[in-house]
Amino acid sequence: MPSLRELGLGIIAIANQKGGVGKTVTAINLAAGLAKAGERVLVVDGDPQANLSLFFGAREKAKSGTGDLGKLIAAVSAGERPLLRKHIIRQVRRGLDLLPAGGRGLRLELGEEALVRASPGFATLLAEARKEYRWIILDCSPSNGALERLLVGASEAVIVPLEFQLFSVAGLEALVEDVSVFSSELGRRIRVHAVVFTKAENKLSRVEAYREIFSSYKIPVFEVCRSEYVPRSLERSRTLWESAPSSFAARDYARILKKAFLG
Amino acid sequence: MARKSAKIDKRGELAANLSSALPSDGESSYELSTAFIPALTRRYIGIWAVVEHLMEGEPWIDRFSAEKLRGAELREPLYRATYDFNEKVCIKRVSVEGRLALAEGEVSYEYKTTVALDWEPGPAGRLCVRPEIGYQFSSLDGQIAAVRELERAGKASIVQSRFEGGDLVLEEGGDYKRLRKVD
């Protein structure tokens, strides 16, 4: 399996239209894990619920005048050329910067039209930011609207968190179709790079059936086990690398970083 | 019951749709959570001897003679192979002994190969296996005929495994092995 590094890709969307599948936890631990490995990383909170921003303490860390993703998109949509750095909170962890969400206004105030208008400019901004950041990790919103289109459309590759559950797998199917449509509209390939079964456990009978099905697909599939350390670390606003680095869940994320990213 | 089979049908339908939607040019790989690997690994740990080895339905030793010995007759062949599964590494040892009928007369023949394999259990009995280091050696009448170091960190392959009674069955393409625990 060629890694994202080997492929020269660095703008990675963590996406699935189904909510509650572990997108934010995956984005946090992959972004923080890359930063811990010495890479320069920007993590983008693209979910209006702003859980990722809350986790990294965006409200407390923002200086007066710091923008956010909502303000950035509004400016791009208005035809301006905003400076990405004015919207970023520096060093939420060593080597890791954050573009916070900006709350519910991200979707409600901007509206679909503004998001569609901003898409090409936003993609250009992120592509230019690759000069500073080796990795840009986008935590996408659980929707199939213009916001998801803007985020996935700006990415070079997608990682899809899933649960062993029918609706979650249906979310993957819908996303794969969307990615294919976005790719042909943009005239460049957005790679569906890997699937991550989060909250994996052996007890459920359906798990083996999903494993059998997914192991035949021509795509890397990873599991991250269900672990009490995950909610506990979120409660304490600490990454798995900080709170439970030897837990199985941390080892599972470490393996994704090693094989899918840094390879 | 009807509801359960409807769910399975839906799963099958989704699986088929996804199969056609996902990239077809990539590689299949499935990494179980590290939390589940120790329990799966334990079943394999130990030394296993090959008690039956077929290649596309033919005894492996016949294929070996035909391919490695360029058709020279190997008389009274003795084939032994073991797999020593440890937590991360499996040592595969193969040895073939016999008398080789050459134009200039009969000579004793010995072939050995030892390979250290990196291995990990996957879903549904799949084992991901990758040769890390190894060598092959052959001798004629006790004189070394060839020694070859195998390519380091070779290509990973997927071997299908299953437990049948006390035996472990390994299959990879047309290669079929039945192994029995020796310790």
Side-chain angles (χ1 to χ4, degrees):
Chain A
M1 163 179 97
S3 68
L4 290 164
R5 189 202 288 280
E6 284 167 332
L7 293 165
L9 306 178
I11 307 176
I12 317 301
I14 312 296
N16 186 336
Q17 295 167 6
K18 172 85 173 63
V21 295
K23 286 188 288 293
T24 301
V25 168
T26 299
I28 288 169
N29 288 301
L30 292 181
L34 288 166
K36 187 173 155 282
E39 308 276 310
R40 281 286 290 136
V41 185
L42 171 67
V43 63
V44 178
D45 188 354
D47 186 346
Q49 293 174 69
N51 290 336
L52 190 133
S53 306
L54 177 72
F55 175 88
F56 283 116
R59 212 176 283 173
E60 301 84 53
K61 286 177 183 152
K63 293 174 187 154
S64 68
T66 305
D68 53 45
L69 180 62
K71 289 174 188 155
L72 181 77
I73 293 171
V76 174
S77 168
E80 295 168 23
R81 290 270 298 163
L83 293 170
L84 184 64
R85 64 182 158 79
K86 295 212 165 173
H87 297 265
I88 281 169
I89 300 172
R90 297 272 175 195
Q91 301 286 327
V92 289
R93 294 293 189 275
R94 185 195 290 263
L96 176 60
D97 293 352
L98 167 70
L99 175 54
R104 292 189 178 277
L106 185 57
R107 184 182 286 126
L108 297 176
E109 288 165 23
L110 281 169
E112 300 272 299
E113 269 181 39
L115 289 165
V116 171
R117 236 183 356 259
S119 288
F122 179 72
T124 306
L125 266 180
L126 288 196
E128 286 170 1
R130 280 289 310 281
K131 288 176 201 148
E132 185 178 352
Y133 299 102
R134 174 62 189 85
W135 302 98
I136 300 175
I137 307 294
L138 304 158
D139 179 23
C140 296
S141 73
S143 80
N144 60 350
L147 183 56
E148 186 217 25
R149 188 190 184 82
L150 174 132
L151 296 164
V152 174
S155 71
E156 295 166 335
V158 182
I159 288 183
V160 191
L162 284 181
E163 280 184 87
F164 286 115
Q165 196 232 74
L166 198 64
F167 293 156
S168 169
V169 177
L172 167 65
E173 188 195 1
L175 179 76
V176 168
E177 280 172 18
D178 284 354
V179 168
S180 161
V181 171
F182 299 163
S183 294
S184 47
E185 283 175 5
L186 294 164
R188 66 177 174 86
R189 184 180 176 200
I190 300 169
R191 181 185 173 87
V192 179
H193 186 62
V195 165
V196 179
F197 277 109
T198 62
K199 308 172 197 175
E201 50 188 329
N202 264 342
K203 283 179 249 163
L204 305 168
S205 59
R206 63 175 180 268
V207 167
E208 276 307 314
Y210 281 116
R211 282 176 175 158
E212 182 86 56
I213 292 168
F214 273 78
S215 54
S216 68
Y217 292 157
K218 302 260 183 216
I219 187 167
V221 182
F222 295 91
E223 286 184 4
V224 175
C225 65
R226 183 181 288 283
S227 165
E228 190 45 44
Y229 288 110
V230 172
R232 212 182 289 170
S233 68
L234 290 176
E235 286 291 329
R236 298 162 64 199
S237 286
R238 300 186 71 183
T239 67
L240 277 172
W241 318 112
E242 294 160 340
S243 63
S246 56
S247 63
F248 284 120
R251 287 186 216 178
D252 291 341
Y253 277 118
R255 191 144 75 155
I256 299 172
L257 289 172
K258 185 180 166 197
K259 296 196 173 176
F261 281 75
L262 302 171
Chain B
M1 193 67 178
R3 192 180 298 173
K4 194 174 177 184
S5 67
K7 208 165 199 182
I8 292 168
D9 287 350
K10 190 75 199 155
R11 198 187 291 153
E13 191 187 316
L14 264 178
N17 290 347
L18 262 172
S19 178
S20 55
L22 284 167
S24 55
D25 57 344
E27 276 174 47
S28 297
S29 72
Y30 193 112
E31 308 263 351
L32 291 172
S33 165
T34 52
F36 310 139
I37 288 173
L40 280 173
T41 300
R42 271 197 291 276
R43 292 195 77 185
Y44 296 88
I45 300 279
I47 301 174
W48 299 78
V50 175
V51 293
E52 187 182 10
H53 190 177
L54 304 174
M55 182 63 86
E56 277 140 15
E58 273 183 59
W60 178 84
I61 190 70
D62 294 350
R63 280 290 186 99
F64 176 87
S65 301
E67 287 169 15
K68 283 262 184 203
L69 307 175
R70 294 181 196 126
E73 188 191 350
L74 185 67
R75 292 173 185 161
E76 295 169 37
L78 178 62
Y79 164 59
R80 282 176 294 209
T82 58
Y83 284 74
D84 183 355
F85 280 93
N86 294 289
E87 212 170 289
K88 293 271 178 203
V89 176
C90 173
I91 308 296
K92 173 184 165 182
R93 293 185 179 90
V94 176
S95 119
V96 175
E97 288 171 33
R99 287 178 299 111
L100 203 57
L102 301 176
E104 56 269 36
E106 205 176 75
V107 293
S108 67
Y109 172 81
E110 190 182 10
Y111 165 88
K112 280 185 196 303
T113 180
T114 301
V115 188
L117 304 158
D118 178 46
W119 75 285
E120 192 173 277
R126 286 176 178 81
L127 299 181
C128 181
V129 174
R130 197 166 67 109
E132 281 298 331
I133 190 169
Y135 76 93
Q136 282 177 350
F137 154 93
S138 60
S139 72
L140 293 172
D141 266 346
Q143 302 293 309
I144 294 171
V147 179
R148 187 166 76 93
E149 194 174 326
L150 301 177
E151 187 192 340
R152 278 172 188 258
K155 203 170 173 249
S157 61
I158 301 293
V159 176
Q160 191 64 49
S161 76
R162 66 178 183 277
F163 290 90
E164 283 181 2
D167 292 353
L168 168 63
V169 174
L170 302 178
E171 287 186 90
E172 188 183 1
D175 188 286
Y176 170 95
K177 294 184 200 86
R178 176 174 290 275
L179 296 90
R180 201 157 291 155
K181 215 152 193 190
V182 292
D183 56 353

